Amino acid sequence: MQQRRRLFLPLSRRTFVKLAAASAASAAFVGCGPSGAEAEEVDNLIIGSGFGGSISAYRLAQAGHSSVVLERGRRWTVQNPGDDVFSDMGFTEGDRYDHRCRWLGTTAPLPGLPPLRPLVPYTGVLERIPGDGIDIVCAAGVGGGSLVYSGMMVRPRDDHFESVFPSEITARSMDPYYERVRELVQPSSLPDDLLELEPWAASRTFIEQGMRAGYDVQRLLCGFDWDKARAEARGELPPQLIRGSYIFGLNNGAKATLDKLYLGMAEATGLVDVRPLHWAQRIIRDGARWRVEVDVIDEMGVVQESIAFSARRLFVCAGTANTNALLVRARDEDTIPDLPDSLGEGFGNNGQHIRARRGVGVDTGAFQAGPACIMLFDQDAPIAMENGPAPLGSEMQMLIGTGQGIPSGRGRFIWNAADGRVVPVWDPAFDAEARANTDEVIRRLNEMNAGEDATARMNLDQSVTFHPLGGCVLGQTTDLYGRVNNQDGLYVVDGALIPGVTPLSNPFWTVSANAERCIERIIAEDYAEATT
Ligand SMILES: Cc1cc2nc3c(=O)[nH]c(=O)nc-3n(C[C@H](O)[C@H](O)[C@H](O)COP(=O)(O)OP(=O)(O)OC[C@H]3O[C@@H](n4cnc5c(N)ncnc54)[C@H](O)[C@@H]3O)c2cc1C
């Protein structure tokens, strides 16, 4: 089998042909390329094993329908708490991070981190997608965003929700779906006994200072097993969470990851076949079926094989940016005729802005225990800010926080054929108010407590979002249930459906509740039709 180094983002057709030709010249390349590959036939194909993909797979299986789930990333399995599975995270030279945190790249995945050591690219847990006016950070690996998230569960206030969602989807109509997700995740807020401990000084200070500044400060519901944190604090497990190193994955299994929730339950039915390191490249409409061309890669991102699937029903759940990459590319290359013009539009950054305060007047810890699970709100401003405990490496009396406002404008996704990659396009004017509201929170916290804005000094003043949403918006590119307009059997069930923002809230609860709502209707109507 020929081995080709995988480029970091899906290849354009032209680039692929060039590479194949070069390979043929140098090494008697005889492969017929993905377009000629014989397709494996399946009824239901799901691209992506994050929240949308896992929920779709599980609910389909419950209704008796089998599926294959393609996941570009690898499996990350913590067999025994304390195993060295995920990369550590650190801001200092002696406490760095490694290739396991980065999806096929050599630069730091997150703002504020020192440069990554020169390393071979690896299929790590976080992708950073450079854009025009904004970068996107998103997950890769079996379980998608659940590998890297903090488990924070926030639900938008009803009036905010209804100001952005289609009028047919009321806040009340969402109640059963939010509840369905909550029952499964079984979240709880940071308990008192942990908050009192020394490693949680940053969280305590954030609460005290936020209240002193007059904000509504809440300990959020969080998908975490706090007993693991207690075990770390007692020295029974290696310190990771209590050192603030939780974003790149957690080696003690404390996070409510999807392998313990929807995806694990889906696989346990025996009807769901998850294929890790299967990277979907191109979608082609093929009569009444959907052909998906896939690169099977190794953990270094090297293509081992190019294969194809043919499905009656295709669920694109690759996360906002990569769902848009696949579909906008298909429209531009006309492999799916008649895709809506609205596809790629309506992208939002969830109004996110990272900020740091230094010299807050209280020691907050060199290594601040996580996870991020405290949020202050001024619903009428409107603005929220979560505390982001971090492994800073030295005592700086620092608090890092991420503001979440409501962007007034929307960006878009375009397909850059020359580079073979998707580009999020964003104008800073779209969220000028959210940025100003975030800065006002920082000003007020400093004024009522102590401290100065250290955002630039910490290299955190970058336009970047961890919460990309939209591009295949409900009621615009799809119907109200994720069925892509004009495309029988093609569905989107992930963050790309959300209209650019889950106001003042981290998105996974809303993304998941909406996925529950969509797949329930799709199974009830489309599969009933199929069997009658
Ligand atoms: C660092 C970080 C922390 C976060 N913390 C929180 C939090 O505490 N609370 C919260 O509510 N939200 C949080 N989020 C956001 C949350 O993770 C996302 O909103 C959520 O995961 C979106 O779900 P999804 O189904 O749209 O996509 P994802 O969960 O991102 O899943 C998409 C999956 O598709 C796979 N994929 C992509 N392209 C392809 C392809 N071409 N072929 C095959 N597979 C593909 C990806 O590898 C990934 O596994 C966080 C995000 C980040 C990055």
Side-chain angles (χ1 to χ4, degrees), residues 32-46:
C32 52
S35 292
E38 206 171 303
E40 179 177 339
E41 298 219 343
V42 297
D43 288 338
N44 303 299
L45 188 64
I46 298 173

Side-chain angles (χ1 to χ4, degrees), residues 7 124 128 131 151 157 189 207 263 328 360 395 500 522-523:
L7 295 188
R128 183 158 178 164
R157 198 172 75 176
S189 55
I207 293 172
L263 194 61
V328 174
V360 299
E395 177 57 70
I522 290 166
I523 291 170

Side-chain angles (χ1 to χ4, degrees), residues 10 47-53 70-73 103 110 126-127 137-154 247 258 278-281 317-320 322-323 326 372 386 465-469 493-496 505-509 511-512:
I47 302 177
S49 67
F51 289 97
L70 304 176
E71 169 53 54
R72 65 177 173 168
W103 174 259
L110 301 179
L126 279 175
E127 178 180 23
V137 175
C138 58
V142 175
S146 73
L147 296 170
V148 297
Y149 76 160
S150 291
M152 277 180 281
M153 294 183 71
V154 199
I247 293 183
L258 282 163
H278 278 55
W279 193 355
Q281 299 294 314
C317 309
T320 297
N322 288 298
T323 285
L326 287 162
E386 74 191 41
T465 182
F466 300 178
H467 297 173
L469 296 165
V493 188
D494 67 3
S505 304
N506 307 57
F508 106 81
W509 198 2
V511 169
S512 301

